[in-house]
Amino acid sequence: MKVIIIGGVAGGASAAARLRRNDEKSEIILFERGEHISFANCGLPYYIGEVIRNEENLLVQTPEGMKKRFNIDVRVLSEVVRIHRETKEVEIYDRKNDKRYTESYDKLILSPGASPIKPDLEGVNAKNVFTLRNVPDTLSIKDYVDNEKPESAVVVGGGFIGLEIAENLKERGLDVKLVELSNQVLAPIDFEMAAIVQNYMKEKGIEFYLGDGLKGIKHNTGYSEVELNSGAKIEADMVVLGIGVRPEVSLAKDAGLELGERGGIKVDQTLKTSDSNIYAVGDAIEVIDYINGKQSLVPLAGPANKQGRIAADNVCGRNETYDGTQGTSVLKIFDMTVASTGNNEKLLRRFDIPYEKSYTHSASHASYYPGSSTISMKIIFSPEDGKVLGAQAVGFEGVEKRIDVLATAIRAGMTVYDLEKLELSYAPPYSSAKDPVNMAGYVASNILKGDNKVIHWDEIERLDKEESILVDVRTPMEYSLGTIEDAVNIPLDEMRNRLDEFPRDKKIIVFCKVGLRGYLALRILAQNGFKDVYNLSGGCSTYYPVIEANKEDSPKKKEVI
């Protein structure tokens, strides 16, 4: 059997290695139009920031290494320009030697990846305007920073790459401003969780222009002027476009392969395309969203690696299926960690999927052991059976561990009631006897059981002040340092002696720092005959970051609350 793989990196390289492990005799040829077949895509920004200092550390595998270990014919700087399905041949352009030739195949695996979006706007093709997708892009940016000594940069795009490049340029000493068309950074998480990230990045010196987009770039002597849709103009020495990526489907489209509704290559669960002899993997394909069951584009390395392995197994006659992508991801922003899995509220609303949510702010490990910090966690779950639909977490220690537990819970179809029962490892330096995941389960379960009726941060400003009352149950000292507008202070420990101060003809909203004392207050009131009592989910620790983020002056950036 002769197998041709088009494209390396995560999907193609993993498919090649798996093919050889399955079949020692097959002829395997991997074509890569670039000069690197397998590189650490996610590590590229950290080379620019000099966290990773050796360029060779970015290369996961080389053509020579693949040949020696796996006996795979790797041809770099070789672009497959056409697939002839009727004759089962591919046409290759050898970029190094400037010649064209053909190769036959029995089976074909497409792993063309995705390309960075570069809008057709004035000034985007200048030498100080960059995109970041591969090793040559990385070297170009680092060379510019090293040799031209820019003092300022504008990063356009608030996704993973945008935030990582903003961090690393800031660490190199540049003044960094970030432009994002949406009213928040990091689309996989919801607004209130992104607000925590944005406020932290502001503290680190990153300036934001949210709810605004790139209109064009004018280049002057010694500096460039970035013009935004709002009319704002930002002077900068360099610009990095991190607007996003689009699937590379031109080869598949020209070959007559079926594309999906989102514009990616359409595959079945075995990763087979509309041609039974051609499989496709990685950023170029459409996958089923594991939560909502809809078609999706998810350009992540983890899923691409798994898809490469599965496609290789099926080429070799095994019957493996890819059951969907749930989008588990993690990101480092300076010292902060942001992670998520499953669906966010925006996705669930788009597909009319009912959900409930809860917030917790738990210590990363036992608070009496030095060095603990807060993990702010949001979980989204079905109001019918408590099935976990998504989770997001922000903090400084142990965030990725908890999201990985929740990602496993989602894959296993677990509910918030199951989260209560999970037996997770505990020692004071690592966790608490009630792990943050357990705590999230307890809080969510109490909501579903009716023991903790909650109101969320985005409902506060819509309250009718004539028919409701806000009660801050924190200490007088905490209250004096700031509270929600119009709230009165009745501390939790004084409540039983001050029940007559609570109106029985109004909706009562109690709140505290994180929601625990609010819950205790609600239970006291509920068991003393008060019927219409609600606890602010996540307390001030969820509410305040949103208020702080909404103080920004950038146009169109406010979230309606």
Side-chain angles (χ1 to χ4, degrees):
M1 180 170 61
K2 183 177 180 180
V3 183
I4 285 179
I5 301 170
I6 301 175
V9 197
S14 65
R18 180 65 174 176
L19 276 168
R20 181 56 75 216
R21 291 196 297 272
N22 287 344
D23 184 349
E24 183 63 23
K25 302 299 182 182
S26 285
E27 181 182 0
I28 305 170
I29 307 175
L30 190 154
F31 291 104
E32 168 58 49
R33 67 182 174 187
E35 56 184 303
H36 303 101
I37 58 160
S38 185
F39 57 89
N41 201 311
C42 299
L44 300 180
Y46 301 104
Y47 180 68
I48 296 168
E50 297 188 331
V51 177
I52 299 171
R53 292 186 172 272
N54 190 342
E55 178 187 339
E56 292 182 358
N57 291 340
L58 296 174
L59 304 180
V60 178
Q61 185 57 277
T62 64
E64 296 77 19
M66 287 288 279
K67 177 66 176 178
K68 186 175 182 180
R69 177 159 296 182
F70 297 106
N71 190 27
I72 292 170
D73 182 359
V74 177
R75 304 181 193 178
V76 296
L77 297 174
S78 297
E79 181 176 4
V80 175
V81 294
R82 190 168 298 279
I83 301 170
H84 299 285
R85 291 168 52 199
E86 64 282 357
T87 59
K88 296 176 70 175
E89 291 180 317
V90 294
E91 184 180 339
I92 304 101
Y93 172 56
D94 181 343
R95 298 170 61 189
K96 184 176 181 180
N97 298 303
D98 191 25
K99 68 175 185 178
R100 293 176 181 263
Y101 64 98
T102 61
E103 286 280 357
S104 63
Y105 65 86
D106 295 309
K107 297 291 182 182
L108 182 66
I109 298 177
L110 287 172
S111 180
S115 58
I117 296 172
K118 195 170 186 178
D120 184 18
L121 296 173
E122 178 188 4
V124 298
N125 294 315
K127 66 177 184 178
N128 67 332
V129 180
F130 305 90
T131 57
L132 178 59
R133 184 63 181 172
N134 52 36
V135 174
D137 292 344
T138 307
L139 298 180
S140 295
I141 296 174
K142 189 171 188 302
D143 180 70
Y144 190 85
V145 174
D146 291 346
N147 297 311
E148 300 299 326
K149 310 295 183 185
E151 296 181 357
S152 59
V154 169
V155 177
V156 182
F160 291 97
I161 289 294
L163 264 60
E164 287 174 341
I165 196 65
E167 172 199 354
N168 282 279
L169 290 176
K170 185 67 180 178
E171 296 284 36
R172 290 295 304 271
L174 278 72
D175 175 53
V176 179
K177 296 177 173 61
L178 190 143
V179 176
E180 167 56 45
L181 187 60
S182 173
N183 66 343
Q184 67 163 82
V185 298
L186 296 176
I189 65 176
D190 289 310
F191 182 85
E192 69 277 19
M193 302 300 286
I196 301 173
V197 181
Q198 289 159 200
N199 294 336
Y200 172 71
M201 292 183 72
K202 282 167 50 185
E203 293 174 4
K204 291 293 185 178
I206 306 292
E207 185 177 342
F208 288 94
Y209 290 76
L210 301 180
D212 213 344
L214 178 65
K215 184 177 181 180
I217 307 171
K218 294 181 179 179
H219 302 285
N220 304 298
T221 303
Y223 71 96
S224 295
E225 187 177 75
V226 179
E227 185 175 358
L228 306 184
N229 293 334
S230 65
K233 296 178 180 180
I234 313 169
E235 291 186 5
D237 296 325
M238 65 181 294
V239 180
V240 182
L241 304 178
I243 299 173
V245 296
R246 58 168 60 94
E248 287 271 19
V249 299
S250 57
L251 191 62
K253 184 177 181 181
D254 290 345
L257 296 177
E258 188 175 352
L259 302 184
E261 58 192 62
R262 300 293 304 278
I265 301 171
K266 186 174 183 178
V267 295
D268 63 15
Q269 277 194 296
T270 69
L271 302 174
K272 188 180 295 180
T273 69
S274 54
D275 185 317
S276 61
N277 295 305
I278 302 177
Y279 294 78
V281 301
D283 296 355
I285 71 169
E286 288 191 8
V287 294
I288 296 296
D289 185 297
Y290 191 77
I291 303 299
N292 60 54
K294 307 296 184 181
Q295 295 292 323
S296 182
L297 294 167
V298 186
L300 292 173
N305 271 286
K306 296 174 182 65
Q307 292 157 13
R309 179 186 176 95
I310 290 170
D313 280 350
N314 291 327
V315 164
C316 294
R318 303 188 181 190
N319 186 24
E320 300 289 341
T321 59
Y322 186 74
D323 297 327
T325 300
Q326 65 192 71
T328 305
S329 59
V330 64
L331 178 68
K332 170 189 171 295
I333 301 294
F334 297 102
D335 295 324
M336 178 176 275
T337 301
V338 187
S340 66
T341 187
N343 279 187
N344 57 29
E345 287 192 65
K346 295 184 287 286
L347 274 174
L348 294 172
R349 285 198 299 265
R350 181 187 303 168
F351 298 117
D352 295 321
I353 298 174
Y355 67 90
E356 181 55 272
K357 58 186 176 182
S358 67
Y359 303 91
T360 52
H361 302 274
S362 304
S364 57
H365 62 249
S367 56
Y368 59 81
Y369 187 90
S372 73
S373 58
T374 299
I375 297 176
S376 297
M377 186 182 298
K378 173 182 183 177
I379 61 172
I380 306 173
F381 48 94
S382 167
E384 297 177 0
D385 58 10
K387 189 174 181 179
V388 183
L389 303 175
Q392 303 160 31
V394 178
F396 296 92
E397 178 190 75
V399 170
E400 70 289 347
K401 168 186 174 181
R402 274 63 186 216
I403 284 294
D404 283 345
V405 171
L406 290 163
T408 305
I410 289 174
R411 185 63 60 158
M414 296 172 70
T415 69
V416 296
Y417 306 114
D418 296 316
L419 300 184
E420 295 181 282
K421 302 170 186 175
L422 286 178
E423 186 175 331
L424 303 173
S425 61
Y426 160 60
Y430 302 107
S431 185
S432 300
K434 295 178 180 177
D435 187 86
V437 173
N438 297 133
M439 291 301 298
Y442 293 138
V443 171
S445 298
N446 283 337
I447 292 172
L448 291 182
K449 293 172 184 174
D451 293 337
N452 185 21
K453 293 193 295 184
V454 294
I455 187 171
H456 294 295
W457 64 270
D458 51 349
E459 300 175 75
I460 293 296
E461 290 197 0
R462 297 198 297 268
L463 290 171
D464 186 333
K465 295 180 181 179
E466 298 297 321
E467 298 183 0
S468 61
I469 181 173
L470 282 161
V471 182
D472 187 337
V473 301
R474 298 176 299 165
T475 66
M477 176 61 75
E478 291 174 288
Y479 177 77
S480 70
L481 295 175
T483 189
I484 298 175
E485 186 178 359
D486 295 327
V488 298
N489 182 219
I490 304 177
L492 172 65
D493 294 341
E494 300 177 13
M495 278 186 57
R496 290 181 178 87
N497 297 321
R498 298 175 62 177
L499 291 176
D500 59 341
E501 297 181 39
F502 289 89
R504 292 184 179 272
D505 60 345
K506 290 186 176 183
K507 176 187 286 188
I508 301 171
I509 294 92
V510 292
F511 66 92
C512 62
K513 181 180 180 181
V514 300
L516 175 57
R517 283 175 287 176
Y519 167 58
L520 299 176
L522 180 148
R523 297 306 301 156
I524 291 171
L525 292 172
Q527 293 177 79
N528 278 278
F530 292 86
K531 303 296 185 184
D532 204 14
V533 186
Y534 296 83
N535 179 23
L536 176 59
S537 182
C540 294
S541 294
T542 296
Y543 182 77
Y544 281 169
V546 175
I547 300 303
E548 182 65 28
N550 274 333
K551 289 179 181 177
E552 293 295 321
D553 295 326
S554 294
K556 299 187 296 181
K557 77 186 307 177
K558 287 195 174 183
E559 175 78 356
V560 177
I561 62 173

